[in-house]
């Protein structure tokens, strides 16, 4: 790899296929790629179309074969349960082989889907790897979703099996996963053949005879299963993410391109090597968890920390620094919201100074834009590079960032850095032409997307084309808006659709509106993201009552909050609904959501000339107590 960011980008630009051919040499293929890219396959092309490999072999078995069997592959640290475990590569190989064997004995084979619904326990990573070993396609569902959301994913993915835990642990409460799973299966037209359940000490659940089995018993009794040879273009997983409608998008990930991109990013971006300890404080239910709790660190032979806890309250704002010190973490990756939570409780870093952070070299942030205040605060406190990098579920790894393996360029707080090799990112005007440097536009990536990015959506090529490729022919539309400045730094400022970002979680306001609109007393509604000092944004629902509903407003508002929690889940953090007399609309009947958002943020909105009734803004302002 050439030295320096500019040289690296120049080498990729000069010959993209040669760049990825070289990066592909770090992967153990059963059939190495002869062709690097085939533009004729899929909505925009496929990477490594003739190559073959197994992901679990690359992430686990080959390290054991190379003598790393005794090294920790995973360190589980759970301040919330008081547990800690160290799992070596040899132990991980045995566990994944047995779990793959247990799945195979229950009829799961290559190409079959498996839903994983688990908290932050090592078995979640084992389950992912076991699927990869078999060639089964996993779909991990985040624990903070409600039964209806889990059900929608079961209905869409049609899994043969589900691997779940009896419960998850949140501060002060046990989240009983098994009843949620039972309710989700009951709601879904598709039923899995079997459910393997990890019984946790905090709460053991009933198992349904004929369908449910104890996961650990099944693993203990299983024959270890070898790695199954797969095409590089075979799917590794589906990860559902919020689209602009209530139906979640099944983002599909291939195997070979993902392995190449992640392995490459471990050294180029994070500056990590085999034997290093990497900690991504996120959740396996999100893309960040897939890429940098599970696959990335293991592909590179690192030790990955699996943390079941929070940045604050488990037990205090020193939790992250304690974990870094105790396990010798070299690179920490988390969401800005977690840092803001720490900053609020420990602004001067007293907790931080209690811990030996001599091994920590850098902090990476993603999930939402890091506000400059928090970036400056963290840099001052840690006296190490604090790197905001921009990415999406669809891309699987960063679009822009700063590259420890190529020598860092100076950070600009508030910017997500410069493009990674593989990405030609531009801000486009409405007509699809790049705007001059420094001007705002729709952020788009010139096709093809690099290896690692979603080749399509699960069973939905047309939806992929409509959602991402239709707006600007020849480009992938990220859905984010922002600026590329004269030096090439990207400033990712907002979404161009109705997606909001709450505590680093991507949520659809359209989906919340569908839930509110389903309430019998609601005539119409709008959900907007309002600025929040901790979570970045939080949703606010504004509803208009049906005439004659005659409801006590406070009671109705509480019902609406409960309804969103029941249908979407606690992760929506939907805590505020207000009854308003009318919604502001254009004369053609379109709800003025941007105007509402400004109003709710306490800003003076520019009254659009197309508004049908300017007085309504004062009335809504009065309801919100800001006018
Ligand atoms: N299972 C079940 N419920 C969960 C859950 C899980 N895995 N994760 C979160 N929840 C619940 C929380 O308990 C909370 O419920 P509540 O309304 O009853 O309090 C709700 O979902 C909202 O969670 P969240 O928005 O994450 O807030 P929080 O109050 O739990 O924690 C922070 C606040 C700032 C500490 C937290 O948001 C945080 O650290 N976020 C990190 C974000 C992140 O990792 N993003 C991934 C992209 S990198
Ligand atoms: P998700 O698919 O859940 O990872 O969410 C992706 C979205 O989160 C992006 O499209 C952005 O809107 C936002 N996002 C993620 N990381 C960043 C970042 N570093 N800077 C700005 N926005 C970000």
């Amino acid at each position: 790899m050439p030295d320096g960011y500019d040289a690296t980008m120049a080498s990729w630009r000069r010959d993209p296929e040669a760049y990825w051919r070289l990066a592909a040499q770090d992967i153990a293929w059963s059939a190495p790629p002869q062709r690097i890219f085939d533009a004729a396959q899929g909505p925009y092309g496929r990477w490594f179309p003739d190559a073959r490999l197994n992901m679990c072999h690359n992430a686990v078995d080959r390290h054991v074969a190379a003598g790393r069997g005794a090294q920790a592959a995973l360190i589980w640290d759970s301040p919330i349960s008081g547990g800690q475990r160290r799992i070596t590569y040899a132990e991980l190989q045995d566990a994944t082989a047995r779990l793959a064997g247990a799945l195979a004995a229950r009829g799961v084979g290559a190409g079959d889907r498996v839903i994983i619904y688990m908290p932050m326990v090592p078995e979640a990573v084992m389950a992912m790897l076991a699927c990869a070993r078999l060639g089964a396609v996993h779909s991990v569902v985040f624990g903070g979703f409600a039964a209806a959301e889990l059900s929608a994913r079961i209905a869409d993915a049609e899994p043969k099996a589900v691997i779940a835990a009896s419960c998850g642990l949140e501060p002060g409460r046990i989240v009983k996963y098994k009843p949620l799973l039972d309710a989700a299966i009951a709601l879904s037209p598709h039923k899995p053949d079997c459910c393997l359940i990890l019984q946790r000490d905090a709460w053991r659940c009933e198992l349904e005879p004929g369908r449910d089995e104890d996961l650990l018993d099944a693993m203990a009794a299983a024959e270890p299963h070898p790695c199954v040879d797969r095409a590089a273009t075979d799917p590794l997983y589906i990860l559902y993410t919020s689209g602009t409608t209530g139906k979640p998008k099944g983002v599909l990930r291939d195997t070979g391109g993902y392995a190449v991109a992640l392995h490459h990013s471990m050294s180029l971006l994070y500056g990590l090597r085999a034997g290093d300890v990497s900690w991504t404080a996120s959740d396996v239910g999100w893309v960040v968890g897939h890429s940098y709790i599970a696959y990335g660190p293991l592909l590179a032979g690192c030790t990955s920390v699996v943390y079941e806890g929070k940045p604050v309250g488990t037990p205090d704002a020193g939790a992250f620094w304690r974990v870094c010190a105790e396990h010798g973490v070299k690179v920490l990756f988390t969401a800005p919201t977690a840092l803001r939570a720490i900053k609020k409780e420990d602004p001067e870093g007293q907790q931080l100074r209690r811990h030996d952070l001599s091994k920590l070299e850098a902090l990476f942030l993603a999930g939402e834009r890091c506000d400059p205040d928090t970036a400056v605060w963290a840099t001052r406190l840690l006296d190490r590079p604090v790197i905001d990098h921009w990415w999406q579920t669809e891309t699987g790894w960063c679009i822009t960032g700063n590259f420890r393996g190529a020598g860092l360029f100076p950070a600009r707080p508030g910017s997500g850095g410069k493009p990674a090799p593989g990405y030609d990112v531009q801000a486009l005007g409405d007509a699809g032409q790049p705007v001059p440097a420094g001007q705002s536009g729709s952020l788009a990536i010139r096709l093809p997307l690099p290896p690692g990015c979603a080749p399509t959506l699960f069973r939905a090529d047309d939806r992929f084309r409509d959602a991402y490729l239709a707006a600007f022919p020849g480009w992938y539309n990220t859905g984010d808006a922002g600026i590329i400045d004269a030096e090439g730094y990207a400033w990712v400022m907002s979404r161009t659709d109705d997606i909001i970002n709450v505590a680093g979680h991507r949520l659809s306001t359209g989906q919340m509106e569908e839930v509110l609109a389903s309430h019998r007393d609601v005539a119409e509604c709008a959900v907007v993201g309002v600025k929040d000092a901790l979570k970045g944004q939080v949703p606010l629902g504004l509803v208009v009552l049906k005439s004659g509903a005659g409801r006590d407003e406070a009671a109705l508002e509480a019902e609406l909050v409960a309804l969103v929690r029941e249908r979407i889940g606690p992760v929506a953090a939907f805590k505020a609904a207000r009854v308003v007399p009318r919604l502001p609309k254009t004369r053609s009947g379109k709800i003025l959501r941007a105007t509402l958002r400004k109003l709710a943020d306490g800003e003076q909105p520019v009254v659009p000339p197309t508004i049908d009734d300017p007085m309504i803004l004062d009335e809504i302002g009065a309801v919100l107590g800001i006018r």
Side-chain angles (χ1 to χ4, degrees):
M1 214 43 62
D3 260 5
Y5 173 76
D6 290 339
T8 303
M9 286 307 277
S11 101
W12 163 69
R13 271 202 202 92
R14 209 164 32 247
D15 189 344
E17 291 203 11
Y19 186 92
W20 293 116
R21 185 185 294 279
L22 186 64
Q25 288 179 4
D26 291 332
I27 295 302
W29 307 91
S30 51
Q34 304 301 318
R35 289 194 69 186
I36 300 302
F37 184 71
D38 180 359
Q41 287 188 38
Y44 67 87
R46 301 299 304 260
W47 290 97
F48 310 113
D50 56 11
R52 299 191 71 83
L53 75 162
N54 180 280
M55 183 61 123
C56 185
H57 171 77
N58 274 277
V60 183
D61 295 48
R62 77 153 156 165
H63 301 309
V64 179
R68 294 195 170 274
Q71 180 197 312
L74 303 175
I75 294 174
W76 179 59
D77 189 307
S78 170
I80 208 152
S81 69
Q84 271 199 12
R85 268 170 81 190
R86 186 175 175 278
I87 295 147
T88 65
Y89 271 98
E91 289 163 345
L92 187 59
Q93 183 182 32
D94 182 58
T96 57
R98 283 178 185 282
L99 182 42
L103 288 170
R106 285 154 186 80
V108 178
D112 290 334
R113 273 81 56 212
V114 175
I115 292 263
I116 300 173
Y117 186 54
M118 294 185 116
M120 287 295 288
V121 289
E123 286 79 5
V125 179
M126 291 169 189
M128 295 163 82
L129 292 166
C131 291
R133 195 170 186 91
L134 273 184
V137 181
H138 62 70
S139 185
V140 184
V141 179
F142 178 63
F145 283 119
E149 283 293 301
L150 176 58
S151 179
R153 287 152 173 78
I154 293 174
D156 195 70
E158 299 184 324
K160 263 220 169 118
V162 174
I163 304 175
S166 56
C167 67
L169 303 173
E170 284 290 292
R173 78 187 159 105
I174 293 175
V175 184
K176 295 181 176 171
Y177 279 32
K178 182 56 174 24
L180 292 170
L181 174 62
D182 291 339
I185 294 174
L187 279 172
S188 163
H190 172 87
K191 316 284 178 201
D193 296 342
C194 73
C195 298
L196 297 176
I197 309 293
L198 175 72
Q199 293 280 20
R200 301 195 73 191
D201 291 341
W203 185 72
R204 298 177 74 82
C205 62
E206 297 284 321
L207 298 182
E208 190 179 304
R211 190 196 69 187
D212 303 342
E213 289 175 77
D214 184 287
L215 172 72
L216 298 182
D217 288 350
M219 284 167 71
E223 279 294 311
H225 201 290
C227 293
V228 174
D229 190 38
R230 301 296 285 152
T233 50
D234 280 335
L236 179 71
Y237 66 75
I238 304 163
L239 181 54
Y240 288 92
T241 188
S242 297
T244 48
T245 65
K247 191 171 155 51
K249 287 180 189 164
V251 172
L252 196 78
R253 190 81 58 210
D254 69 4
T255 307
Y258 191 51
V260 171
L262 287 191
H263 193 288
H264 188 54
S265 71
M266 287 303 293
S267 53
L268 178 70
L269 182 65
Y270 302 103
L272 288 167
R273 292 207 164 86
D276 289 340
V277 182
S278 124
W279 175 27
T280 297
S282 175
D283 190 286
V284 284
W286 306 120
V287 66
V288 168
H290 281 65
S291 294
Y292 295 111
I293 294 171
Y295 291 110
L298 298 178
L299 280 169
C302 295
T303 300
S304 178
V305 178
V306 177
Y307 177 72
E308 188 182 37
K310 300 273 173 180
V312 294
T314 57
D316 54 37
F320 274 23
W321 318 128
R322 192 267 304 158
V323 173
C324 287
E326 213 167 304
H327 306 303
V329 171
K330 194 162 169 184
V331 168
L332 168 63
F333 176 176
T334 190
T337 189
L339 274 195
R340 289 195 295 269
I342 297 171
K343 178 177 160 213
K344 193 166 158 220
E345 289 202 7
D346 185 24
E348 298 308 321
Q350 282 163 343
Q351 297 276 5
L352 180 140
R353 277 186 281 278
R354 294 206 182 109
H355 300 281
D356 172 10
L357 295 182
S358 53
K359 295 232 171 81
L360 185 68
E361 292 185 1
L363 169 66
F364 280 77
L365 300 169
E368 59 183 311
R369 175 175 182 252
C370 184
D371 54 286
D373 276 0
T374 304
V376 169
W377 173 81
T379 311
R380 180 175 56 77
L381 211 65
L382 286 167
D383 193 21
R384 290 165 178 78
V386 172
I387 299 167
D388 185 9
H389 58 331
W390 167 48
W391 48 307
Q392 307 185 313
T393 303
E394 290 83 347
T395 64
W397 63 295
C398 80
I399 306 165
T400 64
N402 202 342
F403 303 88
R404 295 190 69 224
L408 294 172
F409 45 76
R412 296 204 172 157
S415 155
K418 299 186 191 184
Y423 295 94
D424 177 356
V425 189
Q426 303 282 341
L428 304 184
D430 291 343
Q433 291 309 307
V435 298
Q439 283 186 23
S440 185
S442 294
L443 294 172
I445 301 162
R446 196 188 299 274
L447 294 173
L449 294 172
C453 294
T456 188
L457 296 172
F458 178 58
R459 293 179 177 159
D461 284 354
D462 286 344
R463 190 175 179 196
F464 183 91
R465 289 189 189 94
D466 288 350
Y468 306 108
L469 309 184
F472 306 115
W475 300 82
Y476 165 89
N477 182 16
T478 64
D480 285 313
I483 291 168
I484 308 292
D485 71 18
E487 282 81 38
Y489 287 80
W491 302 77
V492 184
M493 305 309 287
S494 61
R495 292 286 304 188
T496 56
D497 50 19
D498 66 357
I499 282 174
I500 57 171
N501 201 310
V502 180
H505 310 317
R506 168 170 161 183
L507 298 165
S508 158
T509 53
Q511 186 186 12
M512 291 185 225
E513 288 177 4
E514 281 177 28
V515 175
L516 298 184
S518 73
H519 190 285
R520 63 182 180 283
D521 294 329
V522 171
E524 58 178 350
C525 62
V527 174
V528 292
V530 182
K531 276 189 198 142
D532 181 81
L534 177 64
K535 297 194 177 189
Q537 282 184 304
V538 287
L540 166 70
L542 300 171
V543 299
V544 179
L545 291 185
K546 281 186 182 154
S547 61
R551 289 293 314 265
D552 170 59
E553 291 183 3
L556 175 78
E557 288 164 3
E559 277 172 31
L560 293 171
V561 166
L563 195 63
V564 175
R565 193 174 173 98
E566 181 199 313
R567 298 262 186 89
I568 301 179
V571 65
F574 184 86
K575 308 248 158 138
R578 295 282 176 274
V579 174
V580 293
R582 286 182 308 288
L583 291 170
K585 293 185 183 171
T586 61
R587 281 189 283 276
S588 60
K590 205 166 161 280
I591 296 172
L592 291 161
R593 288 186 174 73
T595 310
L596 276 176
R597 197 170 51 238
K598 279 218 156 52
L599 190 64
D601 280 341
E603 293 172 27
Q604 188 68 41
V606 179
V607 181
T610 51
I611 194 166
D612 61 351
D613 171 11
M615 294 311 291
I616 188 60
L617 296 181
D618 285 330
E619 291 179 45
I620 296 175
V623 172
L624 299 178
I626 46 183
R627 283 202 162 189

